[in-house]
Amino acid sequence: MAAPMVEGTMEATTAERVSAALVAAWAIALTATLGALFVGEIMGQAPCNLCWYQRIAMFPLALLLGIAAYRDDKAVRIYALPLAVIGGGIAGFHSLLYAGLIPEAIEPCGAGPSCASADMTILGGAPLPILSFAAFATIVVLLLLFRKAPNS
């Protein structure tokens, strides 16, 4: 026998899912930020120019998404989504560069350390540019899923 439906139960469940998407986006941004700091400060791998641009987008996301999750800010997409999309675009370009799909003539990270080399991996061979792209893409998807819950 099914339990009787309590009024408001569906809205609470939807609101919880919506909030969970925002908390998940914050957790990914925080993990990516701490990972970048670990690679740079603990492992001693200097970031290339493209890595710096990605950090410029990711570091504020960790702070903004954390505050938005704490405050349950429904307007977070307005200010967080542009950062995530721009960072994801840079990370996507960087991933194509890493994969060798972009000619070396337009390689922007050749002036400093290069992330296109095999030593720019973590966790047993996961390339940093591709991990960064995955983080930004996931944050974008979660922010698109995060929408105002009905009746809230």
Side-chain angles (χ1 to χ4, degrees):
M1 177 174 200
M5 189 155 190
V6 178
E7 187 176 331
T9 303
M10 184 60 85
E11 289 90 16
T13 304
T14 302
E16 289 170 2
R17 275 195 310 247
V18 166
S19 294
L22 183 55
V23 170
W26 169 69
I28 291 167
L30 182 63
T31 301
T33 296
L34 294 175
L37 290 172
F38 175 79
V39 168
E41 301 302 320
I42 306 299
M43 294 178 62
Q45 294 180 353
C48 72
N49 292 339
L50 288 176
C51 287
W52 276 116
Y53 296 137
Q54 291 167 66
R55 287 177 177 203
I56 289 168
M58 186 62 76
F59 288 9
L61 277 174
L63 181 63
L64 292 173
L65 293 173
I67 293 169
Y70 178 74
R71 296 184 64 214
D72 198 26
D73 184 0
K74 304 298 185 206
V76 66
R77 286 179 14 173
I78 294 169
Y79 52 87
L81 196 55
L83 273 175
V85 168
I86 291 168
I90 296 167
F93 177 78
H94 200 181
S95 296
L96 293 173
L97 178 65
Y98 179 85
L101 299 174
I102 294 178
E104 289 191 30
I106 58 172
E107 184 175 339
C109 64
S114 176
C115 288
S117 64
D119 57 328
M120 287 308 240
T121 60
I122 192 171
L123 302 173
L128 295 175
I130 295 172
L131 286 174
S132 178
F133 178 73
F136 279 115
T138 305
I139 290 169
V140 167
V141 168
L142 288 169
L143 286 173
L144 291 174
L145 291 175
F146 181 74
R147 63 189 182 286
K148 188 172 180 180
N151 301 334
S152 64

